[in-house]
Structures are given as C-alpha cells and as structure tokens.
Amino acid sequence: MSAPKKVVLAYSGGLDTSIILKWLQTEYGCEVVTFTADLGQGEELEPARKKAEMLGIKPENIYIEDVREEFVRDFVFPMFRANALYEGEYLLGTSIARPLISKRLVEIAEATGADAVAHGATGKGNDQVRFELSAYALNPDIKVIAPWRIWDLSSRTKLIDFAEKNQIPIAKNKRGEAPFSVDANLLHTSSEGRVLENPAEEAPDYVLQRTVPVEQAPNEPEYIEVTFEKGDAVAVNGEAMSPATLLTKLNELGGKHGIGVLDLVENRFVGMKSRGIYETPGGTILLAAHRGIEQITLDSGAGHLKDSLMPRYAELIYNGFWFSPEREMLQAAIDKSQEHVSGTVRLKLYKGAAHTVGRWSEASLYSEKHVTFEDDAGAYDQKDAAGFIQLNALRLKLLAARNRRLK
Amino acid sequence: MSAPKKVVLAYSGGLDTSIILKWLQTEYGCEVVTFTADLGQGEELEPARKKAEMLGIKPENIYIEDVREEFVRDFVFPMFRANALYEGEYLLGTSIARPLISKRLVEIAEATGADAVAHGATGKGNDQVRFELSAYALNPDIKVIAPWRIWDLSSRTKLIDFAEKNQIPIAKNKRGEAPFSVDANLLHTSSEGRVLENPAEEAPDYVLQRTVPVEQAPNEPEYIEVTFEKGDAVAVNGEAMSPATLLTKLNELGGKHGIGVLDLVENRFVGMKSRGIYETPGGTILLAAHRGIEQITLDSGAGHLKDSLMPRYAELIYNGFWFSPEREMLQAAIDKSQEHVSGTVRLKLYKGAAHTVGRWSEASLYSEKHVTFEDDAGAYDQKDAAGFIQLNALRLKLLAARNRRLK
Amino acid sequence: MSAPKKVVLAYSGGLDTSIILKWLQTEYGCEVVTFTADLGQGEELEPARKKAEMLGIKPENIYIEDVREEFVRDFVFPMFRANALYEGEYLLGTSIARPLISKRLVEIAEATGADAVAHGATGKGNDQVRFELSAYALNPDIKVIAPWRIWDLSSRTKLIDFAEKNQIPIAKNKRGEAPFSVDANLLHTSSEGRVLENPAEEAPDYVLQRTVPVEQAPNEPEYIEVTFEKGDAVAVNGEAMSPATLLTKLNELGGKHGIGVLDLVENRFVGMKSRGIYETPGGTILLAAHRGIEQITLDSGAGHLKDSLMPRYAELIYNGFWFSPEREMLQAAIDKSQEHVSGTVRLKLYKGAAHTVGRWSEASLYSEKHVTFEDDAGAYDQKDAAGFIQLNALRLKLLAARNRRLK
Amino acid sequence: MSAPKKVVLAYSGGLDTSIILKWLQTEYGCEVVTFTADLGQGEELEPARKKAEMLGIKPENIYIEDVREEFVRDFVFPMFRANALYEGEYLLGTSIARPLISKRLVEIAEATGADAVAHGATGKGNDQVRFELSAYALNPDIKVIAPWRIWDLSSRTKLIDFAEKNQIPIAKNKRGEAPFSVDANLLHTSSEGRVLENPAEEAPDYVLQRTVPVEQAPNEPEYIEVTFEKGDAVAVNGEAMSPATLLTKLNELGGKHGIGVLDLVENRFVGMKSRGIYETPGGTILLAAHRGIEQITLDSGAGHLKDSLMPRYAELIYNGFWFSPEREMLQAAIDKSQEHVSGTVRLKLYKGAAHTVGRWSEASLYSEKHVTFEDDAGAYDQKDAAGFIQLNALRLKLLAARNRRLK
C-alpha cells in the first residue's frame, strides 16, 4: 500500500484518537480530516472540535455530526425487526454502530478528496473488521489505516511518551490504564478488558454506566406501552416519537429499572473468546416489545422462517458484513414480513426485567373465536384434526413398519 | 377404524379422564387399562388407583409409575443440550412430556395385548398431535382414540350429566368450569383458557402455580452454582444429584425467586394462535446455566451451528415429532457438540431472573493469553488481522467495483 | 360445509372433469362456471367450450383463457431465479402451475358471485393441497369442492356408468384405464401411475411425451446462447422473446436433444412416496443457463445464502404454499440477489444434457487480474493469505490444545 | 515464527515440490522428510523415492504410502452420504483429499520429531487453507510452511534458474509453462489456469484427462447396478468391492461414457472467482446412485433435513474445515440418517450422463399399496386429506381474513 495523502479519521477527541491523529501526520506527512459523530455515546462533541483545531486540523476538515436519528432509523430499527441476538444473548450494540461510521468516513473521503480512512480499533477485536469491511464494500479503492496494527506504541508508557513529545494534552485520569474499556452509543454500553478479563469472577457494580444495579431499582413495577408500525416502534405510552427520541426514552426507563445488563463470554470473529458486560436498557425493552407485537400479528410461517434466519443475520452483523449482499437479502425477507407488525404492547418493567403482559392490534391474527374453550360456533371442526394427524403420521408409520420388518 | 378391543388410557384419576374411561367402556364395550404417571405434576397417584378400581378396572390393568427420572434424563436433558426455545421464548415444558407418555402407553399396550391407546387431549390443541404422532411412530398398527374429537359431550353440562349417570364421583370444585386450564410436570406448569383468553389483559397473579409473584420474591439475591458434565447438569452448589432431583432443586430455587414466568401468545401446530402463562422456574435457571457453560467450552463453529439448528429442533418437539428421524439426526449433531461442555456456572437469582455472573471449567476454550489488553507475549499477531480482513473484503471490493462500473 | 350455490370448476374438457361438472350439477343442484386455461399443455381449448355448452353451461359462465405468459412470467421465472429443485432433482413443473389456476378460479368466483371452486385432483396427491391452500390463501371464505374425496365413483366402471347415464360423450380410448396418468403444462410433462408404479422397473420409452428418447437425439451437438436480465431469460441466440415464447423455444431445443427426462421417486406432502417420469426439456436448459450466469455475476455470499434457502423454498412450492408469507419472504430475498444477474451463457446441447461451456457479462465479478497464474501486478497480495488462515485457524488451534490437555 | 528444524513436505516428486524441497534445505538449513501419497492420481510413486534420495533425503525420512482405501472409506464415502455439492454442482474432488494429506503430514511429523510441515499450494488458492486448517486442527503447535507465499521465485524463469543452480533435474516439458494446471486423485481431476482462464471460451477437449469427449463415447447405453449398505456403495453389478476398488471401477465406467465433466466458475474461499474443468466420472455415477437409493429408503423428514444441511456441509469441506467440530456435528446427523440406506440402484450410462432407471431394497419405504391408482384396500383414507388441508390452511385463512379486513 502506498502512503496515504489525505486521511479521514474517526475521531473521538480522546487521547487515543488524538495520538492517532498526530501519528498519521508525522508518519505519512498527510492531511488529516476528522469525523466526530454523536451516536448517543453521551459525550459532548465541541471539545473534539477544539482539540482537532489545536492539533492543526483545518476548520473545513473538521466534521462533527449528530447521526443519532440515522443510526436508530437505518441501522438499529432494521436490526430489531429481525429480533437479532448474537449467540443467543447479545443485542449487537457495538456491531451495529460501526457500518454507519464507515459509511460517513467514506462519504467524507469522497467529498474531501481523501484517499484513505483511519480508525482506532485494535488488531485483536471485531471492530477493525467491521470498520474495514464496511469501508471496502462502499469504496473498493479506499485505503484503510489501522494504526494499532502498524505502529510500535504497544504499551501505555509508549503512548504517553508519544503524546508528551507531541504536545497532546493528557487528562490526569488517562495517564494510567483504565480498569476496563468502554464503548457506548445510543443502543448500548459495552465494558471489557482488565478487571473483567477473568470470566469466573462477577463483574463489579461500578462497571455499570447507564443502568442502576438491579437491587437499587425501584421496588414498584412500572407499566409502559410501546406502539409499533410496520415493525418499528413509533410511540411510548401513546406519545409519538422519532426513532432516536424513542430509544432515548426507553433507555431512561430501562436504566432506571436496571434492565438489560448482560455478562457474556462471546466468540469474536477473529477466533478468540472474550468477556464483556453489556448494558442495553432500551434495546432490551424494545426486543421484548417487538416479540410481543409479532406474537399476535405475524403468521407462524413467517415467524418460524424469521427465527431460522436470525442466527445467520446476527452473525453477519457481528462479523461486520452489514454492507454485504447476503445481509441485504435477509433484510429484504425480514422487512417483507413486517408489513402488518403494527399495534401496541404493554410491558411491566421491574427489577431488571421487561415482561410483556398484554398486546393488541388492528392487525391481530389471534382469533378468540377459534381458540376458545367454549362453543366456537363451528369456526373449527375438531374432526379435521384426525385427518391432519393421520397424514402427518403416515411417513412415521411407514418408517416404523419398515424398521419392525427389518428387525 | 374398527372398534378397539382393549385400550390403554392415559389416566390422571381426575374427572375428565374418568369420564373417558367410562365412555370407552360403554362406547366400545372394551377392556380398559389405565396408565397413571408421576411426571412431577405434584399430585398423588394412589387416589387414581382407587378411582380406577372403583370404575371397574382390574388390578392387573392399573399401571402407576414414577417416570420422573426417565423424563428428565431422556427427554428434558437432551432438549436442554440444544438450548431449545420455541418461537424465541417457550421452553417446551408441555411438549416434551407427551412423547414419554405415548411411549409408555404403547409399551403397556404391547405388554397387555391391547390394540389401542387413548388420551384426553382435545381436538384444538397440540397435545393430541404429540400423543398420536409418538404412538404411531412407535407402533404403526396401534389405534389411537381421542374421545374429545369423537363424542358429543361438548359442554360442561353434558359431561357432568354423563358422570352422574355413570356414578363417577364429582369433586365439588369440578362441577363448574375452571377459570383456566392447567397442565403440569416436573419441568413446568402451563395455564391457558378462559380468563387468559384475551391476550391484551394481564394475567392475574392467582394463575401462578409454582412461582411466587415477582414482587413477593426475596429482596436479597441468592447465588448458586450449577455443574455440568457433557452438557447435562449434575450438581447444584457442589452437591451431585440425579436428573429429577436436580430439576426439583432448581424448581424450588426458581420458584422462590419468581423465576421463569412467561406470558406468551404462540402459534399452535393446528394453525391457530393461543395464549398461555408458563412457569418454568428450574428450566429457566438451567437454560441460563447451560448457555453459560457453553460460552467457555463450546467452539464458535459448533455453537453457531447449534444456534442455527435450534429453531427447527424446537419446532419439531413442539409439533410432536420427537420420535422422528429428523429430530434424532439433529440430536446426534447436538450431542456430538457436548463432549466437553463440562464445568461450573455461578448464577445470581433475584426477582424473577437468573443471571450468569461467572463460569469456569477444565475444558475452557477462553484464553486470557490471547484476549488480554496487556502484552500477550506473541500469542496473537495483530498483523494477521490485516490479511484476514483483506481476504474477507476481496469479494466485497469486487462487488463494489462492479456496481460502480455499471452505474 | 353447506351446499355450494355456484361453483367455478377447473375444467379441461376431458372425461373426468366433465363427469365432475355433471356431478356438481346433480349433487348440489348448483350453477357451474367452467375455467379452462391454456398453460401450454398442448391441447386445443375450443373443444372444451363446446363440451361445456353441451353440458348445459351458459356461455357467460364459460371462461377460456391463454395464461401462458402470466404462467411463465409470474410463476416459472421467479421460481427459476431460486434454482429450485425439490429433493435435489425435481424442477417442480406440476407444483408451480397449481397456484395460478387457483388464483384464476378465485378471481372468477369473485367476478361471477360464485361461493365455491372445484378441482379434479384426487385425495392421494399433492395437487389437491396446492389447489386448496392457494384458494384459501386468496379468499378465506371460499368453499373448495374436491369430488374425488367425496363421491363414491371409486372405480373406472362406476365413472363410465355415471358418464353414460348422464350423456357425457366418452372417447373410445377413455373407456379403459390409461396405462399411466399425465399432467402437462408449458414447463413440463409428468407421467405416473400404473405401468410406472414399480420403481424398480425402467420406464418404457413410450411414456415420453415431449422429449425424444436420448438414443434418437441428434448425433451432433448444438450450441445455443441464452441471455439474462436481472435473473430472467430474455433472449435465445440473440433473439429477444417474451417469457412464454422463450420457454417454448427452449422446449423445442431440449425436446429435440432428449434433455430433461427424470425418473424420480419423491416424497409427497401427504406422506407417501410416489414415482414419476418428468420431462422438463426447456426448464432443464434454463436451470443450467441460470446457474451459468450466476457463476460470474453473483457474489459468493449471496449465492451461498441462496443455496441454503433453496431447499425450503422448493419444499414450500411443492407443498402448495406459493401464496404464503414465508414463500414471499424467500422470494424477496432471492429477487434482491438478481439485480445484476445479467449476461449471456453458451450451452452445448447433446444427447440428453445441457452443459454450460461459456458465459460472459457486463456485470461479471470474475477477475482475471486476480485469479491469473501469471503476474497479477499487485492485485492480490499472497501474504494476506497467511493472516487469513491464521485467524481462521485460531479457534481450531485453541480447540486442539484444549482437547490435548484433557486427554 | 522461528525457523523450522525439521519439516515434513508433501512431496509429489515433480519439479515444483523438488524445488521446494531444496529451498527448505537452503533457506532454513533444516532436515526434510518427504511424504508421497498414492491417492489415486495415477502416477507411479517409486520415482519420487529416487528423486528424494538424489536430493539428499535420508531413506528413513522418505515416506511413500498407498492411502487410496483410507481416502475413499474415511473421506470420500462420508462426504457422499451427504450428497455434497458445492455451489450446486461441484463434487469437491480436490477439497476432500487435502485433509487426509495434512493428517498424514502431522502424524509423520509427530513420529519423526519434526516441528513443521510444508506444502506446495500457492497463496491464491483454496488448497493452502485446506492444508493448513487441517494441520492446525490436528496439532496446534505445528508450524506450516507455504513457500509460495514466502519466496521470491515468482516467475517460471526464476524457478527454472533455481532448479538449475541446485542440480534439480528438469523434464523437458517442464521448462515452459504448462497450458493449464492439473490436480488429480481417485475421485477426480481438476484442470485450471492459463488456457482455461477466460470463462467465456469453451474448454478444448485436450484438457480431459480421464474422460472421453462425450461425442466419442459409445453409441450404446450400458446398464449397471450399484449396491449400497448403510449409505455406502459396496458392490457393482453384484460384485462386492473395497471402497477404492469400487470407485476405480466406477471411474472406468464413467470415463468410458464421458460422464462427470463439469465446466464451472466457482467462488474460492479467499474471495475470488475461478474457472475449472472437473472430471469426476465415478463420483458422478455414485452421487446419482446414492440419491436413487435414498429415494426409496430415506424418510422425507430425514431427506429434507439432509438437503437443507448439505450446502453448509459442502461449504465447510470446500473451505478446509473438515476437521472442525461443526463438520463433525453435521456428519453425525448425516450418518444417523443412513442406517437403512441399503439396496440396489440400476443406472443407465450413456453419452455423458448416469440416469437412475430403477431401485429396490429390503428397506424400501415405497408403498405401492398406498400410492396405487387402483383400489388400495383401505390403506389410505382420502377423507383424511380434507382435514389435513383444512388445518394447514387455517393460518392462511386467518391471514387472508386479516389482510382483507385491513384493506
């Protein structure tokens, strides 16, 4: 790979990406464009602008954007239509944010004439894969620079040295190692590393960033209603909200009740197992609610097909293949199923859990007339079941007869 | 179908199956053999013997058996190896008990020279299918009699009339309709019908049979440890237990903490949606624990394959195809994966939830050496990731280049 | 089911459906509407009109339609986008025609105020299921009458008697049993029953309806080119054709070369195995050609997903679930993949086989630059493969180390 | 990676692997052990011994083995139980041989105290992946050396120079580039590269190594019978044969009739498309025969599950994951299905195709009694079909009613 001339960097304003910024300038002598996104991580963005300017970035090369609505509308919600869970439990909060960042990096590169993009993910994790596959899928000619795989700043001491030599300001609490590493966006917070590395030991409560420890959650349950249209949540307690506003609201509710904390050992795409503590308060409520509304509005054929496709869909997102034809094919199938997934779900939030306790819809397929224990006025002829069973049994009978014959 | 000469009836000793018993005698003039099983439903069995005798069943035709160990060992545990959930949520507590009952019915028929078996499931539900497919798969020549699909005792009044005319004793609380219908075994209790038929309305607490309402659960968490060998739980808190004993213990723990209550609208195999309240206290803990131990002992290739097969496996059990070649094929695959699923999981039980908070194993695949944020002493070469990403990206780049070319 | 008042009958004009027509009139005293479709079965339709009139059908109740273009465009082509094969071999020629017939039956019922539709399929086969599931999926209130499951005309003698008593003309060769039963449409001919019932015996050449016995096919190969746009064939040998014209042309070519004859024992949805001889000359060429163009225009991620979904898709069509949400979901996924499946395939037709021998496309993803054994000018860095393999191997190494440790 | 001390090389005796042998000696100063296997590629092995000796390999370090029976019994036959086809068409002839070679390389390394193995596959292909994943899965500490990814002998001229400088004898026809590259074993021959690189151009007949061009195949068909036991072929025309003998026999028959030639553009695991000409004469017959015997002995539930698992199974083998837990899980499922896949298939071989024309078995599930068009003596009650259809239709009716209601 020839040296890049102009690089768009995913820039948080923090110490690590500031070091990367400076390293790119010194290593390649290239122009750097910074992209700082508000994905709902809960940090102010303007300090990043000041810091970028201080590090010599031209004002026109500083991109700071609030992408929360796009994030929820075009990434989180499509994923929730699938009820996606990686390895049965993980709501994919980190995975789903990466493609959006790469998309904007590539778009900004094209707008500014940059030939490369850069990110701050390490060589051991999934995020490098997600950033880079997304970038290459959107622009096959882009260069992607991953300094952590290249430089020799392999210890905290070396990083701090580099920062000091290059006049990068270092916050006091950044001199030493953090006790664990955090990633956050509007969907979730993940914490991993160091004090969490031993999967036998319970994670301490102080790891939690946006959720109260469940013992401190209110002693009274709270009931809420979430309304869906075509598979997407559109209102909470009857109040219509934009996607990001709605997820923010669910996060508040979930966080207050200690909902959505997960201690998981998962399989990374790069081949190792890792342990993380995930907080997805609003997403956990949303998943329960979406399953609840599907229960009455989705046909079993559609639902079972969705369930069988889901693990592959989730794996694709986890592995970084959001912008792949197979994810888009699965999305087309999933979206097709959501046309009538509309209605309202009532949930009880209490002590770490969100339980569906009621659901109703104009589009309901639930037929009390059919299911009733009372007289069904001929809606269902129980004698049909005899034929249904006989023909389902036929092959089993032929098998049993054959197997007996051969004994 | 010609009239049966001798019928083995799945007999609970309750009013409904007593009516069936008498109806079989009067309708077909046939000899009746009763089979009453202790599946952990929590009822005494000896009263069933007395009642059968009173209804004229010969002592040698009364079979009363404790099948709890067989139930957990040969049905529940194999199913939990798969982490089976029907429609994402249901632990299949009713479904998994039916094949065992049918197996014993058929075996007793063969032992007693009976040509038919009979069950008390209605024509609207799944249980009729499960009973009958199992019976036919085990004996292709057996007749199966489902009185609810045949007789005209279609109302409570008619049933009570029939009972009175035939001197069948009627407990006072059985004269009217029950407010809901209950099925129970060692794995779970299900409640459905009548007061639960409107899926919009929250189920009342009095429905709960074996779980305390979550608000009444202890305010202090309880920690437990579950130990696995080859995918099956073998000890709780270090104490080795037989399968049924272990599940009984987990039920106690789960019931006390209000764990495993599910309000679900599901799709029946016969084509309608129904709403049920399921209590699976011990099973819910067991699923969490099994997932926890798999997290560190199961390879991702095996785990992802399991996850992708699971929906089909669960559907087969739900639909009554336990004794089908495809369920056995899936079981062979699943069992193959469990050879090293051994170790211990620590769980926190609190207010309706069981959370894995730690796991350890001799057979762990978790490698702190690889995953560490610290110096890994060369265990993992971050530069490998560059090649890994490049080749995973190659097809996406070729696609992107093609699509750009065609624009 | 109450008696129908007005019935739309799928009417071929042959003896069997004429008997059904009369039977409907006499059994129910109802008005009959006939629907006769040209699906490319190779029979003239006007005689059906005369016969219907003779049997007392009012002219406005006689519907005769050429639906060949709709058949190929809206049913055959979407199915071929999936490369659908039932049980690895069957091109679903009968299955795919049924939903179209039911769709028109239901539409005509709605247009004429009929409350029922009727078909001439027996109670042992798949076609009854396909007709009826399609009808119910399109109109949940329609009645479907399947006389073969109802009447007592269970032998040839009884049928002939009924015909004679009701002045239904009987062609000489229809008095006795046909040596086998035939179904045909533009996609295929199927033959089954009687002389074909023993699956151990080779089918005689005289069974073939539209294909020359392969020994009599030309001794010289013939080369053709089939051009695709977005997954559908649009031209043969450079000549643009409508869907039905194109399939007719491929049938001619395939028939001449003895292509697409299949001797199959398959599993019917109703639980038994049956043996059929299928001729799909044009379809067999089309499948080979479609696979050929996908080879260079479809990405591996998309292609492998398609391959894994195909068996389920084919099973749905075979079982009669064309108008089901899950088939539509799969179709959405499949269609999504076909956007760039455009280009031309060269095939060699010879002695029963159609072999792809060349393919080219503007949208090709084949990159000679990458694959070449010669110097690739840096298009591909072979060193990337080392990292790719290392990370793919990591979990296998961890497994092997664990397994060795435990030995 | 530290330098290897002792390397086991997959050695063919040809020019390329002789260069590798010498390069290993000179590059690393290490001891070399050669492994030359008879996999049925049709070359004598003793010349490889002489050449190895000439290149300075100690006699005790020269391993020459006939592994044909192991190859067919433990690799080819298990794969054929699955009816494996990669991308719908490729019989995986090259893929399936690699794990066996790696297995022996690792075993010999362990027996001789070698710390590394080496192979002659290039950095662009699949074989490097297959060799290396297999090796690492069997010995996590082994080093694998892939000289083609390391050295700078990147042109034919440089290779020949190296050979000349190192006194490696060069056959006359090896001085220039071969017009295409060939890999062969008992299952197949693959040809690719150079004259075959343009996928639009038909492959010339001279590419064929073991199959007559179809026009030159006999003008008379030949009928054969293949007998199976538990899913594996055990006899041809009634004559019992060992696995390798049987495949050799089928190769003769297939080669003579021009059977099993495939022109394919496929997707390599490393991300590019490549074009190959594959000859699998015996394997093509074997696949047809295996499908034929499954048609009558395999239940539809088992068969459909197999079909749905097959694409993933084939992809695993293609990608080099033979020794992975997920391949072993799938194998367990597949093998479970084969217990009664026993019986005989009659095939017609003619002009490039093998067609099943008859099949019979003690274990047949085909029931003429059920399927017959004649009176079935009550084996099947056609009225059962009505109930079967009604309950299969119920959800579709509820859907249609809902959708009409919402319009």
Side-chain angles (χ1 to χ4, degrees), chain D residues 108-360:
Chain D
I108 293 169
E110 294 178 357
T112 59
D115 58 335
V117 300
H119 64 77
T122 78
K124 282 192 171 178
N126 297 301
D127 285 333
Q128 58 177 341
V129 191
R130 297 166 186 153
F131 279 128
E132 298 176 34
L133 293 185
S134 293
Y136 291 134
L138 296 170
N139 184 334
D141 303 315
I142 202 79
K143 289 172 189 141
V144 184
I145 300 168
W148 285 96
R149 296 201 305 258
I150 303 172
W151 66 27
D152 60 352
L153 305 178
S154 56
S155 70
R156 201 74 203 160
T157 315
K158 288 185 188 170
L159 279 172
I160 298 295
D161 279 358
F162 181 93
E164 287 179 339
K165 271 184 207 145
N166 288 279
Q167 285 85 43
I168 301 171
I170 306 169
K172 266 192 191 153
N173 64 354
K174 294 290 179 184
R175 289 216 161 250
E177 299 282 5
F180 54 92
S181 159
V182 174
D183 174 72
N185 60 47
L186 197 53
L187 181 56
H188 98 326
T189 300
S190 74
S191 302
E192 54 179 13
R194 298 197 180 87
V195 304
L196 300 172
E197 269 177 20
N198 182 350
E201 284 180 20
E202 187 170 6
D205 274 356
Y206 66 75
V207 167
L208 298 182
Q209 308 282 313
R210 57 169 73 182
T211 324
V212 302
V214 68
E215 291 88 345
Q216 300 166 30
N219 288 317
E220 294 302 312
E222 180 169 1
Y223 286 86
I224 66 165
E225 293 178 10
V226 180
T227 300
F228 289 84
E229 274 177 23
K230 297 183 188 298
D232 293 339
V234 295
V236 174
N237 291 330
E239 186 182 347
M241 297 179 190
S242 73
T245 314
L246 188 144
L247 185 52
T248 305
K249 176 68 181 170
L250 293 183
N251 277 336
E252 273 172 41
L253 288 163
K256 169 181 162 192
H257 287 284
I259 291 168
V261 179
L262 174 67
D263 174 341
L264 183 70
V265 177
E266 81 207 41
N267 294 291
R268 288 191 187 154
F269 188 26
V270 294
M272 66 184 72
K273 288 179 181 288
S274 72
R275 194 259 195 108
I277 304 297
Y278 299 114
E279 297 164 70
T280 322
T284 300
I285 299 173
L286 192 58
L287 175 65
H290 187 258
R291 277 219 168 264
I293 194 62
E294 284 195 340
Q295 285 169 14
I296 55 168
T297 58
L298 201 64
D299 160 76
S300 66
H304 292 193
L305 178 57
K306 279 189 70 199
D307 285 348
S308 76
L309 300 177
M310 186 277 281
R312 187 158 187 175
Y313 177 87
E315 189 182 16
L316 286 169
I317 294 177
Y318 186 86
N319 288 356
F321 290 93
W322 178 264
F323 293 114
S324 71
E326 63 271 31
R327 201 280 307 173
E328 289 169 3
M329 287 170 65
L330 291 173
Q331 194 72 54
I334 290 158
D335 290 356
K336 180 85 189 163
S337 74
Q338 301 290 296
E339 195 182 352
H340 292 299
V341 177
S342 304
T344 298
V345 178
R346 184 168 165 81
L347 301 113
K348 177 182 175 179
L349 312 183
Y350 180 65
K351 288 286 186 187
H355 285 294
T356 293
V357 298
R359 60 303 255 170
W360 55 93

Side-chain angles (χ1 to χ4, degrees), chain B residues 18-223:
Chain B
S18 296
I19 291 173
I20 289 175
L21 193 166
K22 184 55 82 178
W23 181 86
L24 289 169
Q25 292 170 327
T26 56
E27 180 78 10
Y28 301 116
C30 66
E31 191 176 352
V32 174
V33 178
T34 60
F35 170 59
T36 308
D38 184 353
L39 279 147
Q41 65 271 47
E43 284 170 10
E44 285 193 43
L45 272 51
E46 283 310 310
R49 182 188 307 277
K50 293 214 180 86
K51 208 153 171 197
E53 283 172 354
M54 198 198 67
L55 290 163
I57 308 303
K58 290 184 256 175
E60 68 267 28
N61 279 346
I62 300 176
Y63 285 76
I64 293 186
E65 300 178 5
D66 181 348
V67 296
R68 287 177 296 175
E69 290 294 347
E70 182 181 3
F71 175 50
V72 182
R73 185 189 62 231
D74 296 346
F75 295 81
V76 174
F77 274 8
M79 182 174 78
F80 272 77
R81 285 175 215 142
N83 303 321
L85 287 176
Y86 181 66
E87 300 189 341
E89 311 199 56
Y90 173 39
L91 281 152
L92 293 162
T94 299
S95 324
I96 192 63
R98 303 317 186 194
L100 170 54
I101 296 171
S102 281
K103 174 170 170 279
R104 289 300 298 136
L105 288 175
V106 166
E107 288 168 351
I108 293 169
E110 294 179 355
T112 60
D115 58 334
V117 300
H119 64 79
T122 78
K124 281 192 171 177
N126 296 302
D127 285 333
Q128 57 176 341
V129 191
R130 296 164 186 156
F131 279 128
E132 298 178 33
L133 293 185
S134 293
Y136 292 134
L138 295 171
N139 184 334
D141 303 316
I142 201 80
K143 288 171 190 142
V144 183
I145 301 169
W148 284 97
R149 295 201 306 257
I150 304 172
W151 67 26
D152 59 352
L153 304 178
S154 56
S155 70
R156 201 73 202 161
T157 315
K158 288 185 187 170
L159 279 174
I160 298 294
D161 280 358
F162 182 93
E164 287 180 339
K165 271 184 209 146
N166 289 280
Q167 284 85 43
I168 301 171
I170 307 169
K172 266 193 191 154
N173 63 355
K174 295 291 180 184
R175 291 218 160 246
E177 298 282 5
F180 54 92
S181 160
V182 174
D183 175 71
N185 60 49
L186 197 53
L187 181 56
H188 97 327
T189 300
S190 74
S191 303
E192 55 179 13
R194 299 198 180 86
V195 305
L196 300 172
E197 269 176 21
N198 182 350
E201 283 180 18
E202 187 171 6
D205 275 355
Y206 66 75
V207 167
L208 298 182
Q209 308 282 312
R210 57 170 72 181
T211 324
V212 302
V214 69
E215 291 87 346
Q216 301 166 31
N219 288 317
E220 293 303 313
E222 181 170 2
Y223 286 85

Side-chain angles (χ1 to χ4, degrees), chain B residues 178-309:
Chain B
F180 54 92
S181 160
V182 174
D183 175 71
N185 60 49
L186 197 53
L187 181 56
H188 97 327
T189 300
S190 74
S191 303
E192 55 179 13
R194 299 198 180 86
V195 305
L196 300 172
E197 269 176 21
N198 182 350
E201 283 180 18
E202 187 171 6
D205 275 355
Y206 66 75
V207 167
L208 298 182
Q209 308 282 312
R210 57 170 72 181
T211 324
V212 302
V214 69
E215 291 87 346
Q216 301 166 31
N219 288 317
E220 293 303 313
E222 181 170 2
Y223 286 85
I224 66 166
E225 293 178 9
V226 181
T227 300
F228 290 84
E229 275 178 22
K230 296 184 188 298
D232 294 339
V234 295
V236 174
N237 291 331
E239 186 182 347
M241 297 180 189
S242 73
T245 313
L246 187 144
L247 185 52
T248 305
K249 176 69 180 170
L250 293 183
N251 278 336
E252 274 172 41
L253 288 162
K256 170 182 163 192
H257 288 283
I259 291 169
V261 178
L262 175 67
D263 175 340
L264 184 70
V265 177
E266 80 205 42
N267 293 292
R268 287 192 187 154
F269 188 27
V270 294
M272 67 185 70
K273 288 179 181 291
S274 72
R275 193 260 195 107
I277 305 296
Y278 300 114
E279 298 164 69
T280 322
T284 301
I285 298 173
L286 192 58
L287 175 64
H290 187 259
R291 277 219 168 264
I293 194 62
E294 284 195 340
Q295 285 169 15
I296 54 169
T297 58
L298 201 64
D299 160 76
S300 66
H304 292 193
L305 178 57
K306 279 190 71 199
D307 285 349
S308 76
L309 299 177

Side-chain angles (χ1 to χ4, degrees), chain A residues 123-180:
Chain A
K124 281 193 171 178
N126 297 302
D127 286 332
Q128 57 176 341
V129 191
R130 295 165 186 153
F131 279 128
E132 298 178 33
L133 293 184
S134 293
Y136 292 134
L138 295 171
N139 183 336
D141 303 315
I142 201 82
K143 288 170 190 145
V144 184
I145 301 168
W148 285 97
R149 296 201 307 257
I150 303 172
W151 67 26
D152 60 353
L153 305 178
S154 56
S155 70
R156 199 75 201 159
T157 315
K158 287 187 189 168
L159 279 173
I160 298 295
D161 279 357
F162 181 93
E164 288 178 341
K165 270 184 209 146
N166 289 279
Q167 285 85 40
I168 301 171
I170 306 168
K172 265 188 192 158
N173 64 353
K174 295 291 180 185
R175 293 220 157 244
E177 299 282 4
F180 54 92

Side-chain angles (χ1 to χ4, degrees), chain A residues 211-222 253-261 348-355, chain B residues 214-221 257-258 348-355:
Chain A
T211 325
V212 303
V214 67
E215 292 88 345
Q216 300 167 28
N219 288 316
E220 294 302 315
E222 180 169 1
L253 289 162
K256 168 182 164 193
H257 288 284
I259 291 168
V261 179
K348 178 181 175 180
L349 312 183
Y350 180 64
K351 288 285 186 187
H355 284 296
Chain B
V214 69
E215 291 87 346
Q216 301 166 31
N219 288 317
E220 293 303 313
H257 288 283
K348 176 181 176 179
L349 312 183
Y350 180 65
K351 289 284 186 188
H355 284 294

Side-chain angles (χ1 to χ4, degrees), chain A residues 213-292:
Chain A
V214 67
E215 292 88 345
Q216 300 167 28
N219 288 316
E220 294 302 315
E222 180 169 1
Y223 287 84
I224 65 166
E225 293 178 8
V226 181
T227 300
F228 289 84
E229 274 177 25
K230 297 183 187 296
D232 294 339
V234 295
V236 174
N237 291 331
E239 187 182 346
M241 297 180 190
S242 73
T245 313
L246 187 144
L247 185 51
T248 305
K249 176 69 180 171
L250 293 182
N251 278 336
E252 274 172 40
L253 289 162
K256 168 182 164 193
H257 288 284
I259 291 168
V261 179
L262 175 67
D263 174 340
L264 184 70
V265 177
E266 81 206 42
N267 293 290
R268 288 193 187 152
F269 188 27
V270 295
M272 67 184 71
K273 288 179 181 290
S274 71
R275 193 258 198 111
I277 304 297
Y278 299 115
E279 298 163 70
T280 323
T284 300
I285 298 173
L286 192 59
L287 175 64
H290 187 258
R291 277 219 170 265

